Amino acid sequence: MHIAIDFISFSCSLAMFRPKHVFICFLISFAFFIDPSSQHVDDVKKQQMREKVREMFYHAYDNYMTYAFPHDELKPITKSFTDSLSELGNLKLEHLPTDYNGSAVTLVESLSSLAILGNKTEFEKGVLWLSENLTFDVDVRVNLFECNIRLLGGLISAHLLAIDPTNRLIQGSYNNELLRLAEDLGKRFLPAFETPTRIPYAWINFKKGVMENETTETSTSGCGSLILEMGALSRLTGDPRFESAALRALRQLWRMRSSLDLLGTTLDVVTGEWLEYSSGIGAGVDSFYEYLMKAYILFGKEDYWRMFRSAYLASQKYFRYGPWYHEANMWSGKPTYWQLTSLQAFWPGLQVLVGDVAAANSSHREFFHAWEKFGVIPERYLLDHQMIHPTERYYPLRPELAESTFYLYQATKDPWYLDVGEAMVKSLNRYTKVAGGFASVRDVTTMQLEDHQHSFFLAETCKYLYLLFDDSFVAKRNYIFTTEGHPIQVMSSWHEKLPESYFSGNWTFSKSGEWESGASALSMKVCPSIAPNSRLREQHRESVCHVPDQKIDHKCWSNRECGVDATTCRQRSCSEVGFCGLWNPL
């Protein structure tokens, strides 16, 4: 096969890194001169591999429904279950509940995958069961981040799929039951944000709120990766509290960055002090970068873009070493740890979204080489010692490499990525498939298995592999995928607009025979005592008290960027969504 690619490298790189170039990678023409017989072979392979991935998904899903449902996750070796929601992120297994019987986490996580596979019957059955049985009024301490991406994200995504008339997934009646569950869950999150810094606690009890003597330590990804799900919840319910809380935390986190535009890995939510200065693109930070970019795509707010651009450029400057990414001190930029982690494999997929395809391809190939070397990717590999980390030899069925492979194939249509996906499918079936599902790998050097099938195997790993071989679902709509692989449709109605209260409080009209034009007293610097009674332009004069906002679009990060209002002579303030105005205090 001869391929001629018109790859405009500067258009797809950070050299021209501006918002209007974000999606350029999807617009670049890749001219493929392909033998029709070769194309036919690829199509046949894609159909065969699609069916193999479908079989994988249902082997995992059916065994969960048989042996574990309605508990949280499946134990595939013993064909039993674990109520693991309280254990997610809980490395020390502290404060475990005594009477918690699960929240059907794997079912919630599977709904969007069922929709993508076209199983309307099972999707509707799942929605009906959750509508009638799921409750969050239980005494269980959970990790806010994990609960947000798995449960809240899963419910919101499934709700949006259920109400999409083009999918017709629900044949019976659906009255927004999943959205009501999501709203109830979101309200239970809000007490976590009641800290001096407005950065949320990492842990919350569904029934009791923040527990006494709760740890004040959280991670950058844990508190900085909430905006997609909570922002979507506000847009769907009309309740601004969820998006405001997540955005407030994100803004505060960004204010805490170093002069190098780097953030640490862990911090104290009460004091606002960094606890771990080493930073990278892996565990503890990863989805922070991801959600800045995806929030810009989903909500169209330029602040997200500006933050992402600065953070991405800093990561390329201080973390990148050829195709690899090491960690560095957030204050000095000096390298700290030279290691490959399985979570880093999401990075090439994110780079595709911003058009940095060449860099994405380079890093992706290194991750795949690691996969080929060990059969799967170990959780942590020490690059400076050329050895697997002695205590992190495991592979818990993670999806990140499959995710990046899907994105790169979408961007390039290079059939090599299909070969990568095929190799991954073969490895997963060879090393992790058991009679009762798919088991995690405890040690990649011996392929000893662990009795745990994580819910993200169905939510992400199988989903991205399926989409690699059959992208018909994403061809119908524009979606972003959350860090847990849940699709949320990109809608223009969610994109940034000036709040209505901004217009109603700041616009006045001039009249010449008819009401013809809208003019802002603020932008025209018109004295309010003159403006209502003066129709002639020459009678307008500058208000004595008026001080313009620093930016002509009235956007802001703090009150210092806001001026004095021309109508009331009151000091304007910066709202939670970043606009100067006469906002009522929250």
Side-chain angles (χ1 to χ4, degrees):
M1 179 176 66
H2 302 286
I3 303 175
I5 302 179
D6 180 20
F7 188 83
I8 309 171
S9 60
F10 288 107
S11 296
C12 260
S13 73
L14 272 294
M16 296 181 69
F17 206 46
R18 298 192 297 271
K20 67 180 181 181
H21 294 100
V22 174
F23 309 109
I24 195 71
C25 64
F26 296 111
L27 306 178
I28 290 177
S29 296
F30 291 82
F32 288 81
F33 299 98
I34 302 174
D35 182 349
S37 61
S38 174
Q39 181 65 55
H40 175 71
V41 171
D42 286 342
D43 290 342
V44 170
K45 175 188 284 189
K46 287 168 70 174
Q47 292 174 9
Q48 292 173 343
M49 293 308 302
R50 177 192 65 191
E51 294 311 307
K52 288 185 178 180
V53 177
R54 187 192 300 273
E55 291 174 6
M56 288 172 57
F57 174 83
Y58 283 116
H59 182 67
Y61 178 79
D62 290 343
N63 275 288
Y64 164 74
M65 295 301 291
T66 300
Y67 300 112
F69 174 77
H71 298 278
D72 289 334
E73 292 178 318
L74 171 68
K75 299 177 76 172
I77 297 175
T78 57
K79 296 182 179 179
S80 56
F81 60 84
T82 172
D83 289 318
S84 51
L85 184 61
S86 63
E87 300 174 7
L88 299 175
N90 190 355
L91 298 180
K92 298 180 181 179
L93 298 180
E94 299 174 319
H95 311 293
L96 296 179
T98 56
D99 57 352
Y100 171 66
N101 295 308
S103 300
V105 171
T106 298
L107 175 60
V108 175
E109 291 252 73
S110 298
L111 289 179
S112 60
S113 297
L114 288 167
I116 288 174
L117 268 64
N119 193 335
K120 299 179 181 181
T121 300
E122 199 66 22
F123 178 89
E124 185 169 12
K125 283 173 56 180
V127 170
L128 180 61
W129 188 91
L130 293 170
S131 302
E132 295 178 347
N133 296 278
L134 183 60
T135 178
F136 298 116
D137 189 27
V138 289
D139 184 5
V140 58
R141 175 181 178 266
V142 299
N143 183 276
L144 179 66
F145 168 75
E146 294 287 355
C147 201
N148 175 72
I149 64 174
R150 299 191 192 217
L151 286 178
L152 186 60
L155 291 170
I156 288 173
S157 176
H159 165 73
L160 288 169
L161 292 168
I163 63 174
D164 186 346
T166 62
N167 292 320
R168 298 181 180 178
L169 292 169
I170 303 291
Q171 302 303 311
S173 62
Y174 175 70
N175 297 309
N176 300 327
E177 289 90 350
L178 297 185
L179 179 59
R180 287 200 289 272
L181 282 169
E183 184 176 18
D184 176 51
L185 182 59
K187 290 178 179 177
R188 295 176 190 274
F189 287 176
L190 293 178
F193 293 85
E194 296 173 4
T195 66
T197 61
R198 297 305 182 101
I199 294 175
Y201 284 97
W203 298 90
I204 188 78
N205 185 292
F206 279 161
K207 201 165 192 174
K208 300 177 181 178
V210 178
M211 303 293 288
E212 187 176 358
N213 298 320
E214 184 59 85
T215 177
T216 59
E217 180 177 351
T218 191
S219 67
T220 296
S221 58
C223 63
S225 309
L226 306 169
I227 190 62
L228 291 185
E229 294 84 356
M230 297 188 72
L233 183 59
S234 282
R235 305 303 171 102
L236 291 168
T237 62
D239 187 339
R241 291 180 296 168
F242 312 114
E243 185 172 6
S244 293
L247 180 56
R248 199 161 42 218
L250 185 59
R251 285 178 179 275
Q252 179 60 31
L253 188 63
W254 183 243
R255 292 188 188 103
M256 293 169 58
R257 71 192 186 280
S258 73
S259 60
L260 306 179
D261 285 332
L262 298 178
L263 294 89
T265 302
T266 59
L267 61 147
D268 190 296
V269 303
V270 173
T271 65
E273 296 178 352
W274 289 106
L275 303 176
E276 173 56 64
Y277 300 152
S278 183
S279 184
I281 62 168
V285 188
D286 48 2
S287 53
F288 166 76
Y289 293 100
E290 178 185 2
Y291 270 36
L292 287 178
M293 183 64 220
K294 291 182 177 179
Y296 173 67
I297 297 173
L298 186 61
F299 302 124
K301 187 175 178 62
E302 287 191 29
D303 285 348
Y304 296 128
W305 170 258
R306 287 194 290 266
M307 286 188 281
F308 174 79
R309 180 182 183 277
S310 298
Y312 183 81
L313 290 172
S315 72
Q316 296 298 94
K317 180 177 181 179
Y318 295 106
F319 301 153
R320 186 177 179 182
Y321 185 81
W324 301 104
Y325 288 82
H326 58 74
E327 295 184 22
N329 184 286
M330 65 175 291
W331 303 113
S332 67
K334 294 181 178 180
T336 52
Y337 302 109
W338 294 78
Q339 55 192 9
L340 173 150
T341 67
S342 61
L343 288 172
Q344 292 175 345
F346 89 99
W347 191 253
L350 178 61
Q351 291 181 305
V352 169
L353 283 182
V354 300
D356 206 353
V357 178
N361 174 67
S362 176
S363 295
H364 175 272
R365 288 177 181 270
E366 297 302 326
F367 284 112
F368 182 57
H369 289 332
W371 181 284
E372 288 183 305
K373 179 176 181 178
F374 297 105
V376 292
I377 291 186
E379 186 72 0
R380 193 177 302 272
Y381 184 84
L382 304 178
L383 295 171
D384 48 351
H385 297 290
Q386 291 293 296
M387 61 176 287
I388 298 175
H389 192 283
T391 63
E392 297 187 48
R393 298 170 172 266
Y394 53 88
Y395 168 69
L397 306 173
R398 290 204 187 278
E400 284 76 17
L401 183 59
E403 176 185 2
S404 289
T405 305
F406 160 68
Y407 276 106
L408 277 161
Y409 180 69
Q410 285 294 309
T412 67
K413 297 303 179 184
D414 185 339
W416 181 78
Y417 295 108
L418 299 178
D419 295 337
V420 172
E422 182 178 10
M424 295 182 67
V425 169
K426 288 181 179 178
S427 291
L428 289 168
N429 279 293
R430 178 181 178 183
Y431 297 118
T432 71
K433 185 178 181 179
V434 296
F438 285 84
S440 300
V441 178
R442 185 187 300 274
D443 187 335
V444 302
T445 62
T446 63
M447 288 301 173
Q448 177 188 4
L449 297 179
E450 181 178 354
D451 196 11
H452 196 170
Q453 178 181 286
H454 290 271
S455 61
F456 54 68
F457 180 72
L458 293 100
E460 300 182 82
T461 310
C462 290
K463 179 183 291 162
Y464 285 123
L465 288 171
Y466 185 87
L467 287 170
L468 173 64
F469 301 113
D470 184 349
D471 62 0
S472 56
F473 176 82
V474 293
K476 300 175 184 177
R477 290 282 189 277
N478 289 321
Y479 293 95
I480 58 99
F481 289 86
T482 70
T483 197
E484 194 72 5
H486 297 303
I488 299 179
Q489 186 179 337
V490 179
M491 296 177 281
S492 59
S493 60
W494 282 14
H495 274 213
E496 180 184 284
K497 295 183 178 70
L498 289 173
E500 290 183 7
S501 52
Y502 169 82
F503 288 97
S504 63
N506 289 289
W507 289 91
T508 182
F509 291 88
S510 60
K511 181 180 179 182
S512 176
E514 295 180 355
W515 294 96
E516 294 178 340
S517 60
S520 168
L522 177 63
S523 62
M524 293 179 61
K525 300 182 181 179
V526 175
C527 178
S529 62
I530 298 296
N533 302 312
S534 300
R535 302 304 183 195
L536 301 178
R537 187 175 300 275
E538 59 269 23
Q539 290 182 287
H540 293 178
R541 58 189 175 88
E542 176 114 9
S543 170
V544 175
C545 66
H546 177 253
V547 177
D549 298 331
Q550 287 186 12
K551 297 179 180 178
I552 59 174
D553 59 4
H554 312 294
K555 293 182 180 179
C556 57
W557 284 97
S558 67
N559 292 338
R560 290 177 295 181
E561 298 173 79
C562 300
V564 177
D565 189 74
T567 305
T568 64
C569 292
R570 284 170 48 200
Q571 176 68 49
R572 292 158 61 80
S573 60
C574 188
S575 74
E576 293 298 332
V577 293
F579 285 99
C580 291
L582 296 177
W583 310 112
N584 293 324
L586 296 177

